[in-house]
Amino acid sequence: MGSNGTPGVDERAAGLAGATRPAKRRLLVGAGVVLGTLLLTGCSTATKEQWKRLGLPPGASDRTEAVLSLWIGAWIAALIVGVLVWGLILYVSVRYYKRNDEAPRQVRYNLPLEVLYTLAPFAIIGVLFFYTVEHGNQVTAMSNNPSHTINVVGQQWQWTFNYKDTVDGQEGVWETGTLQKPAELWLPVDESVQFDLTSPDVIHSFWVPSFYFKLDVIPGRTNKFQLTPTKTGTFAGKCAELCGLYHSRMVFTVRVVPKDEYDAHLRDLAARGQTGAATGGQDATTIPGHGEQEGEK
């Protein structure tokens, strides 16, 4: 009986309420599909490609494949482990949800289960360790005869680049940057380059995101690495180690150009008299380019 004595009123109301639930669900699903489609179609090709790289910029060196595959593989492994853990949490939350006041049967030891959750993390760590070492060896590989060698000096707070190539009979040329005019690093495309990193003051870090490589610049020590630029263009470089007051302005530009343009740039540096090697500012604790100090040879 209904509340007013009419038979079946409550049943009909309940039936109508139940019928509206599927309609609401279909509406929500439809709205989600439309919104997802709009979001996906509204993204540019560059954004979609960046999603495929999981946030990494387009690679521009021969280290790209080793780093990118390790990065993607690590995310896939993390997702598999995460889905497994989340699934188990949801399963036990639903399967063993407390329905009464009786305490569940207590199981003190379960040897197979304990062996599983002891060995599984070691297996996961072992696989990740293997691929990290394998790809790390590819990234840090060095040859005995690189085509070019450049001494990179990181100083507070700019960069100096000493090109070791012989130019017009001169042994090496150099260029340096200031806070007002950051340095430019010129590299020939498809030719191997060795970077010798040194610092006269504090720890810096030489990083070109598009090269998929970063290495610290440590006082009193020469760190070295090699790579081959594979794409022409202009790329951003920066210091990735907090090195003092003007760390945020310790940026530089990388220009990857054909070999003839690279040679022409070195000849231009020689014509300016910037021959030999520069080791940083006269006093590494001053600010090159700020005031009258211009970062002397």
mmCIF file of all heavy atoms in Angstrom, residues 45-73:
data_model
loop_
_atom_site.group_PDB
_atom_site.id
_atom_site.type_symbol
_atom_site.label_atom_id
_atom_site.label_comp_id
_atom_site.label_asym_id
_atom_site.label_seq_id
_atom_site.Cartn_x
_atom_site.Cartn_y
_atom_site.Cartn_z
ATOM 1 N N THR A 45 50.203 18.144 -32.748
ATOM 2 C CA THR A 45 51.030 16.968 -33.037
ATOM 3 C C THR A 45 52.243 16.921 -32.123
ATOM 4 O O THR A 45 52.639 15.851 -31.647
ATOM 5 C CB THR A 45 51.483 16.997 -34.504
ATOM 6 O OG1 THR A 45 50.327 17.025 -35.353
ATOM 7 C CG2 THR A 45 52.312 15.763 -34.842
ATOM 8 N N ALA A 46 52.826 18.099 -31.850
ATOM 9 C CA ALA A 46 53.999 18.143 -30.969
ATOM 10 C C ALA A 46 53.656 17.668 -29.564
ATOM 11 O O ALA A 46 54.439 16.946 -28.929
ATOM 12 C CB ALA A 46 54.551 19.566 -30.924
ATOM 13 N N THR A 47 52.474 18.060 -29.065
ATOM 14 C CA THR A 47 52.064 17.632 -27.727
ATOM 15 C C THR A 47 51.839 16.133 -27.678
ATOM 16 O O THR A 47 52.231 15.458 -26.717
ATOM 17 C CB THR A 47 50.777 18.365 -27.310
ATOM 18 O OG1 THR A 47 51.018 19.779 -27.324
ATOM 19 C CG2 THR A 47 50.347 17.939 -25.917
ATOM 20 N N LYS A 48 51.210 15.587 -28.712
ATOM 21 C CA LYS A 48 50.980 14.140 -28.757
ATOM 22 C C LYS A 48 52.292 13.379 -28.784
ATOM 23 O O LYS A 48 52.445 12.339 -28.131
ATOM 24 C CB LYS A 48 50.136 13.783 -29.987
ATOM 25 C CG LYS A 48 48.724 14.322 -29.938
ATOM 26 C CD LYS A 48 47.968 13.996 -31.217
ATOM 27 C CE LYS A 48 46.567 14.593 -31.192
ATOM 28 N NZ LYS A 48 45.843 14.353 -32.463
ATOM 29 N N GLU A 49 53.271 13.890 -29.550
ATOM 30 C CA GLU A 49 54.575 13.235 -29.604
ATOM 31 C C GLU A 49 55.281 13.303 -28.258
ATOM 32 O O GLU A 49 55.956 12.360 -27.844
ATOM 33 C CB GLU A 49 55.450 13.881 -30.689
ATOM 34 C CG GLU A 49 54.991 13.602 -32.109
ATOM 35 C CD GLU A 49 55.023 12.123 -32.422
ATOM 36 O OE1 GLU A 49 55.986 11.441 -32.022
ATOM 37 O OE2 GLU A 49 54.073 11.627 -33.069
ATOM 38 N N GLN A 50 55.108 14.418 -27.541
ATOM 39 C CA GLN A 50 55.719 14.539 -26.220
ATOM 40 C C GLN A 50 55.086 13.568 -25.236
ATOM 41 O O GLN A 50 55.769 13.018 -24.372
ATOM 42 C CB GLN A 50 55.601 15.968 -25.703
ATOM 43 C CG GLN A 50 56.419 16.225 -24.435
ATOM 44 C CD GLN A 50 56.424 17.679 -24.025
ATOM 45 O OE1 GLN A 50 55.451 18.387 -24.256
ATOM 46 N NE2 GLN A 50 57.509 18.125 -23.420
ATOM 47 N N TRP A 51 53.784 13.326 -25.366
ATOM 48 C CA TRP A 51 53.132 12.320 -24.536
ATOM 49 C C TRP A 51 53.728 10.947 -24.782
ATOM 50 O O TRP A 51 53.917 10.169 -23.857
ATOM 51 C CB TRP A 51 51.636 12.300 -24.824
ATOM 52 C CG TRP A 51 50.889 13.449 -24.215
ATOM 53 C CD1 TRP A 51 51.411 14.461 -23.451
ATOM 54 C CD2 TRP A 51 49.487 13.710 -24.319
ATOM 55 N NE1 TRP A 51 50.437 15.345 -23.084
ATOM 56 C CE2 TRP A 51 49.233 14.917 -23.593
ATOM 57 C CE3 TRP A 51 48.426 13.086 -24.948
ATOM 58 C CZ2 TRP A 51 47.955 15.462 -23.491
ATOM 59 C CZ3 TRP A 51 47.152 13.625 -24.841
ATOM 60 C CH2 TRP A 51 46.923 14.794 -24.118
ATOM 61 N N LYS A 52 54.032 10.649 -26.032
ATOM 62 C CA LYS A 52 54.624 9.351 -26.356
ATOM 63 C C LYS A 52 55.999 9.201 -25.713
ATOM 64 O O LYS A 52 56.409 8.093 -25.369
ATOM 65 C CB LYS A 52 54.746 9.185 -27.872
ATOM 66 C CG LYS A 52 53.420 9.082 -28.599
ATOM 67 C CD LYS A 52 53.621 8.956 -30.104
ATOM 68 C CE LYS A 52 52.291 8.896 -30.840
ATOM 69 N NZ LYS A 52 52.479 8.798 -32.305
ATOM 70 N N ARG A 53 56.702 10.326 -25.566
ATOM 71 C CA ARG A 53 58.025 10.302 -24.919
ATOM 72 C C ARG A 53 57.911 10.489 -23.408
ATOM 73 O O ARG A 53 58.933 10.594 -22.727
ATOM 74 C CB ARG A 53 58.921 11.400 -25.501
ATOM 75 C CG ARG A 53 59.235 11.274 -26.984
ATOM 76 C CD ARG A 53 60.268 12.306 -27.410
ATOM 77 N NE ARG A 53 59.816 13.668 -27.172
ATOM 78 C CZ ARG A 53 59.144 14.408 -28.047
ATOM 79 N NH1 ARG A 53 58.842 13.906 -29.227
ATOM 80 N NH2 ARG A 53 58.773 15.643 -27.749
ATOM 81 N N LEU A 54 56.680 10.568 -22.892
ATOM 82 C CA LEU A 54 56.421 10.758 -21.461
ATOM 83 C C LEU A 54 57.140 11.988 -20.908
ATOM 84 O O LEU A 54 57.780 11.953 -19.862
ATOM 85 C CB LEU A 54 56.819 9.505 -20.668
ATOM 86 C CG LEU A 54 56.020 8.240 -21.003
ATOM 87 C CD1 LEU A 54 56.521 7.061 -20.176
ATOM 88 C CD2 LEU A 54 54.535 8.459 -20.757
ATOM 89 N N GLY A 55 57.035 13.089 -21.654
ATOM 90 C CA GLY A 55 57.535 14.371 -21.175
ATOM 91 C C GLY A 55 58.927 14.754 -21.635
ATOM 92 O O GLY A 55 59.327 15.907 -21.482
ATOM 93 N N LEU A 56 59.690 13.828 -22.193
ATOM 94 C CA LEU A 56 61.037 14.160 -22.640
ATOM 95 C C LEU A 56 60.986 15.016 -23.909
ATOM 96 O O LEU A 56 60.082 14.852 -24.732
ATOM 97 C CB LEU A 56 61.843 12.893 -22.922
ATOM 98 C CG LEU A 56 62.251 12.043 -21.714
ATOM 99 C CD1 LEU A 56 63.027 10.813 -22.174
ATOM 100 C CD2 LEU A 56 63.107 12.854 -20.747
ATOM 101 N N PRO A 57 61.957 15.924 -24.099
ATOM 102 C CA PRO A 57 61.995 16.711 -25.336
ATOM 103 C C PRO A 57 62.461 15.841 -26.498
ATOM 104 O O PRO A 57 62.973 14.737 -26.287
ATOM 105 C CB PRO A 57 63.026 17.806 -25.013
ATOM 106 C CG PRO A 57 63.932 17.166 -24.005
ATOM 107 C CD PRO A 57 63.062 16.268 -23.179
ATOM 108 N N PRO A 58 62.299 16.308 -27.732
ATOM 109 C CA PRO A 58 62.823 15.546 -28.873
ATOM 110 C C PRO A 58 64.329 15.360 -28.746
ATOM 111 O O PRO A 58 65.059 16.306 -28.446
ATOM 112 C CB PRO A 58 62.473 16.423 -30.081
ATOM 113 C CG PRO A 58 61.337 17.280 -29.616
ATOM 114 C CD PRO A 58 61.576 17.523 -28.159
ATOM 115 N N GLY A 59 64.804 14.152 -28.952
ATOM 116 C CA GLY A 59 66.230 13.866 -28.824
ATOM 117 C C GLY A 59 67.029 14.392 -29.998
ATOM 118 O O GLY A 59 66.544 14.453 -31.127
ATOM 119 N N ALA A 60 68.278 14.801 -29.725
ATOM 120 C CA ALA A 60 69.125 15.363 -30.775
ATOM 121 C C ALA A 60 70.546 14.826 -30.706
ATOM 122 O O ALA A 60 71.469 15.470 -31.201
ATOM 123 C CB ALA A 60 69.143 16.888 -30.670
ATOM 124 N N SER A 61 70.742 13.637 -30.095
ATOM 125 C CA SER A 61 72.076 13.051 -30.030
ATOM 126 C C SER A 61 71.980 11.541 -30.173
ATOM 127 O O SER A 61 70.882 10.964 -30.138
ATOM 128 C CB SER A 61 72.776 13.406 -28.711
ATOM 129 O OG SER A 61 72.281 12.600 -27.652
ATOM 130 N N ASP A 62 73.141 10.909 -30.334
ATOM 131 C CA ASP A 62 73.147 9.454 -30.480
ATOM 132 C C ASP A 62 72.881 8.736 -29.162
ATOM 133 O O ASP A 62 72.823 7.506 -29.129
ATOM 134 C CB ASP A 62 74.490 8.997 -31.063
ATOM 135 C CG ASP A 62 75.669 9.364 -30.166
ATOM 136 O OD1 ASP A 62 75.523 10.243 -29.293
ATOM 137 O OD2 ASP A 62 76.747 8.772 -30.347
ATOM 138 N N ARG A 63 72.697 9.460 -28.063
ATOM 139 C CA ARG A 63 72.333 8.857 -26.774
ATOM 140 C C ARG A 63 70.819 8.761 -26.602
ATOM 141 O O ARG A 63 70.330 8.224 -25.606
ATOM 142 C CB ARG A 63 72.890 9.675 -25.627
ATOM 143 C CG ARG A 63 74.361 9.557 -25.246
ATOM 144 C CD ARG A 63 75.223 8.824 -26.143
ATOM 145 N NE ARG A 63 76.592 8.712 -25.633
ATOM 146 C CZ ARG A 63 77.628 8.404 -26.373
ATOM 147 N NH1 ARG A 63 77.460 8.157 -27.667
ATOM 148 N NH2 ARG A 63 78.837 8.292 -25.856
ATOM 149 N N THR A 64 70.065 9.272 -27.551
ATOM 150 C CA THR A 64 68.619 9.374 -27.415
ATOM 151 C C THR A 64 67.957 8.020 -27.209
ATOM 152 O O THR A 64 67.161 7.830 -26.281
ATOM 153 C CB THR A 64 68.020 10.057 -28.656
ATOM 154 O OG1 THR A 64 68.537 11.387 -28.758
ATOM 155 C CG2 THR A 64 66.506 10.114 -28.562
ATOM 156 N N GLU A 65 68.255 7.038 -28.057
ATOM 157 C CA GLU A 65 67.552 5.757 -28.013
ATOM 158 C C GLU A 65 67.791 5.034 -26.691
ATOM 159 O O GLU A 65 66.857 4.470 -26.101
ATOM 160 C CB GLU A 65 67.991 4.876 -29.178
ATOM 161 C CG GLU A 65 67.275 3.536 -29.255
ATOM 162 C CD GLU A 65 65.764 3.670 -29.355
ATOM 163 O OE1 GLU A 65 65.288 4.649 -29.967
ATOM 164 O OE2 GLU A 65 65.061 2.813 -28.784
ATOM 165 N N ALA A 66 69.025 5.052 -26.198
ATOM 166 C CA ALA A 66 69.337 4.340 -24.948
ATOM 167 C C ALA A 66 68.582 4.949 -23.768
ATOM 168 O O ALA A 66 68.010 4.232 -22.944
ATOM 169 C CB ALA A 66 70.840 4.376 -24.693
ATOM 170 N N VAL A 67 68.565 6.273 -23.676
ATOM 171 C CA VAL A 67 67.897 6.934 -22.549
ATOM 172 C C VAL A 67 66.384 6.822 -22.680
ATOM 173 O O VAL A 67 65.680 6.530 -21.708
ATOM 174 C CB VAL A 67 68.323 8.414 -22.467
ATOM 175 C CG1 VAL A 67 67.534 9.146 -21.385
ATOM 176 C CG2 VAL A 67 69.814 8.525 -22.190
ATOM 177 N N LEU A 68 65.865 7.031 -23.898
ATOM 178 C CA LEU A 68 64.417 7.011 -24.094
ATOM 179 C C LEU A 68 63.836 5.622 -23.811
ATOM 180 O O LEU A 68 62.800 5.496 -23.145
ATOM 181 C CB LEU A 68 64.078 7.440 -25.519
ATOM 182 C CG LEU A 68 62.580 7.531 -25.860
ATOM 183 C CD1 LEU A 68 61.891 8.550 -24.963
ATOM 184 C CD2 LEU A 68 62.398 7.898 -27.330
ATOM 185 N N SER A 69 64.486 4.573 -24.289
ATOM 186 C CA SER A 69 63.975 3.221 -24.061
ATOM 187 C C SER A 69 64.011 2.861 -22.571
ATOM 188 O O SER A 69 63.095 2.205 -22.056
ATOM 189 C CB SER A 69 64.771 2.200 -24.883
ATOM 190 O OG SER A 69 66.150 2.236 -24.536
ATOM 191 N N LEU A 70 65.059 3.296 -21.864
ATOM 192 C CA LEU A 70 65.128 3.041 -20.420
ATOM 193 C C LEU A 70 64.038 3.808 -19.687
ATOM 194 O O LEU A 70 63.397 3.281 -18.765
ATOM 195 C CB LEU A 70 66.505 3.428 -19.891
ATOM 196 C CG LEU A 70 66.747 3.191 -18.397
ATOM 197 C CD1 LEU A 70 66.656 1.705 -18.069
ATOM 198 C CD2 LEU A 70 68.102 3.746 -17.968
ATOM 199 N N TRP A 71 63.803 5.043 -20.091
ATOM 200 C CA TRP A 71 62.779 5.885 -19.472
ATOM 201 C C TRP A 71 61.387 5.275 -19.664
ATOM 202 O O TRP A 71 60.619 5.130 -18.704
ATOM 203 C CB TRP A 71 62.852 7.280 -20.086
ATOM 204 C CG TRP A 71 61.793 8.263 -19.690
ATOM 205 C CD1 TRP A 71 60.781 8.725 -20.476
ATOM 206 C CD2 TRP A 71 61.650 8.945 -18.441
ATOM 207 N NE1 TRP A 71 60.012 9.648 -19.802
ATOM 208 C CE2 TRP A 71 60.520 9.801 -18.548
ATOM 209 C CE3 TRP A 71 62.358 8.917 -17.242
ATOM 210 C CZ2 TRP A 71 60.096 10.607 -17.502
ATOM 211 C CZ3 TRP A 71 61.920 9.726 -16.202
ATOM 212 C CH2 TRP A 71 60.814 10.561 -16.332
ATOM 213 N N ILE A 72 61.063 4.887 -20.905
ATOM 214 C CA ILE A 72 59.755 4.301 -21.184
ATOM 215 C C ILE A 72 59.610 2.960 -20.465
ATOM 216 O O ILE A 72 58.561 2.645 -19.885
ATOM 217 C CB ILE A 72 59.563 4.111 -22.701
ATOM 218 C CG1 ILE A 72 59.625 5.468 -23.424
ATOM 219 C CG2 ILE A 72 58.238 3.415 -22.983
ATOM 220 C CD1 ILE A 72 58.512 6.403 -23.099
ATOM 221 N N GLY A 73 60.677 2.149 -20.498
ATOM 222 C CA GLY A 73 60.630 0.846 -19.832
ATOM 223 C C GLY A 73 60.401 0.961 -18.341
ATOM 224 O O GLY A 73 59.654 0.163 -17.753
#
